[in-house]
Amino acid sequence: MKSISQGEIVGEAKAKRLLGQPSTQASNARRTAMVAVFQELDIDISQPGFYDHPNFVVQEQKNSRFAENYAEWVLLRERDQDYDARVQAIVPQVAKILQRRIVQHNWHGACIAMTAILTRILDRLGIWNIPMRGSASVYAEGASRHFAIIDQNEGTGFDTGHMWVIAPPYDIIDVTLHYQRWQGDTFQRHVPPIILGMGLASVKARAQDVIAPELRSQMPRDPDIHYKVFPDQRRVLETFPAKQFIISSTDIRYVPGGVSLPDSPLERINEEARAGVPAIQIWTDDILPTLGKPI
């Protein structure tokens, strides 16, 4: 078995497919239909990050759900062995670089900024990916902790839930869950510093995975209450299913709540650096010397 180092934990489940999405008539038809839509809108879909195309932006301004078309394309587009091998060579390196920055700067609670940084870096490296917002719940030793999208708002500068990246063949790339604001909670030890999951099982989203315990205790005992409190949840999960990451005795449930594409280029993400460093500094100081020029 391949050794694991520097806090990197890779999902143990074997991939259910070798390349791309299952080649079903439905997925092929959907892929063809999406190509037709993008062509009609005169949007070049040849490179990652085409959500910056002016015509895409116009459509997204009309309908925020249009962002899901980009995300669905990332899932449906065909991949080959060389591409998958390249992703599996690059993603762990990028994840380790970002994790080192988090530790170096005590950059805790930075899932929004760090997910945007990761997305933009992968775009530049030619790796298709989806920045996803939603809920992450950690279950271990009969206890749990929740970063739920349905939770009490902590005020300006905070948001509910969690964020992570999907970059096929990776179902989950998460470099920030271990570095959320745990405030000394020893339960943090159950969360790996880096989570890289491939071939993860799709699971049914449960109310306890989506709603914070304090709020859940005040609601009717309805196993589907999360679909009533968050009506869009069921629709989102039809395209982006919940995933289960298991390592040792820890079970982490990732439940997508929506796609969150960055609206700023790498040069502007975290440019004021109230925490950490500007994103472009990570690119120039860490990524380029390690991985070379973007393709």
Side-chain angles (χ1 to χ4, degrees):
M1 179 180 292
K2 177 183 175 183
S3 62
I4 298 175
S5 62
Q6 297 185 29
E8 177 187 345
I9 306 296
V10 181
E12 296 174 354
K14 292 183 179 179
K16 294 182 179 179
R17 61 185 185 276
L18 293 178
L19 300 173
Q21 293 296 303
S23 182
T24 65
Q25 184 175 357
S27 61
N28 289 338
R30 177 59 180 157
R31 185 164 52 239
T32 299
M34 295 187 74
V35 170
V37 169
F38 291 134
Q39 287 180 337
E40 183 178 353
L41 294 171
D42 196 23
I43 297 174
D44 180 2
I45 64 173
S46 61
Q47 296 295 328
F50 69 75
Y51 53 84
D52 286 329
H53 192 286
N55 294 348
F56 190 101
V57 174
V58 168
Q59 295 300 316
E60 190 178 8
Q61 289 172 342
K62 294 178 181 178
N63 177 11
S64 61
R65 289 184 183 176
F66 193 76
E68 293 178 15
N69 287 279
Y70 179 85
E72 189 175 1
W73 175 252
V74 171
L75 295 181
L76 288 176
R77 62 178 294 277
E78 295 179 299
R79 313 190 315 269
D80 58 26
Q81 290 179 333
D82 290 341
Y83 174 83
D84 276 11
R86 183 171 180 274
V87 173
Q88 292 176 68
I90 290 176
V91 164
Q93 295 183 68
V94 174
K96 289 175 183 176
I97 286 171
L98 298 186
Q99 187 244 356
R100 284 196 295 266
R101 281 290 186 177
I102 291 172
V103 172
Q104 178 182 351
H105 306 293
N106 292 316
W107 202 352
H108 295 178
C111 71
I112 295 175
M114 194 56 73
T115 298
I117 292 170
L118 177 56
T119 285
R120 286 300 192 181
I121 286 174
L122 294 181
D123 285 348
R124 288 194 177 195
L125 294 173
I127 294 177
W128 295 86
N129 71 96
I130 306 164
M132 188 66 70
R133 61 180 176 83
S135 303
S137 296
V138 185
Y139 301 89
E141 298 181 353
S144 63
R145 298 294 185 273
H146 304 263
F147 297 86
I149 197 166
I150 302 175
D151 199 354
Q152 296 176 341
N153 195 301
E154 296 183 56
T156 304
F158 296 89
D159 204 352
T160 57
H162 188 54
M163 291 192 70
W164 62 93
V165 167
I166 301 169
Y170 288 101
D171 299 304
I172 302 291
I173 305 171
D174 189 351
V175 297
T176 63
L177 187 59
H178 181 84
Y179 301 100
Q180 288 283 24
R181 293 184 175 89
W182 289 86
Q183 299 176 325
D185 187 348
T186 58
F187 198 82
Q188 181 185 18
R189 73 185 187 280
H190 293 293
V191 180
I194 296 175
I195 295 175
L196 301 178
M198 290 192 296
L200 301 183
S202 295
V203 293
K204 176 179 172 59
R206 305 167 302 184
Q208 63 262 39
D209 300 327
V210 178
I211 305 174
E214 295 79 6
L215 296 181
R216 179 76 182 92
S217 65
Q218 303 170 22
M219 297 178 181
R221 290 187 175 278
D222 179 350
D224 292 330
I225 191 67
H226 50 302
Y227 295 130
K228 300 172 183 176
V229 179
F230 184 13
D232 209 32
Q233 180 74 92
R234 193 185 300 274
R235 184 193 62 79
V236 171
L237 292 175
E238 289 177 357
T239 304
F240 312 103
K243 295 291 183 178
Q244 179 183 42
F245 180 90
I246 296 178
I247 182 71
S248 298
S249 61
T250 302
D251 178 356
I252 305 177
R253 303 290 181 102
Y254 286 89
V255 183
V259 178
S260 185
L261 300 174
D263 56 9
S264 298
L266 197 61
E267 288 80 3
R268 289 179 51 198
I269 297 175
N270 202 44
E271 61 182 341
E272 295 181 358
R274 293 191 178 94
V277 295
I280 194 62
Q281 183 176 335
I282 297 175
W283 174 258
T284 57
D285 293 357
D286 303 339
I287 301 295
L288 284 182
T290 303
L291 297 171
K293 297 180 180 179
I295 64 170

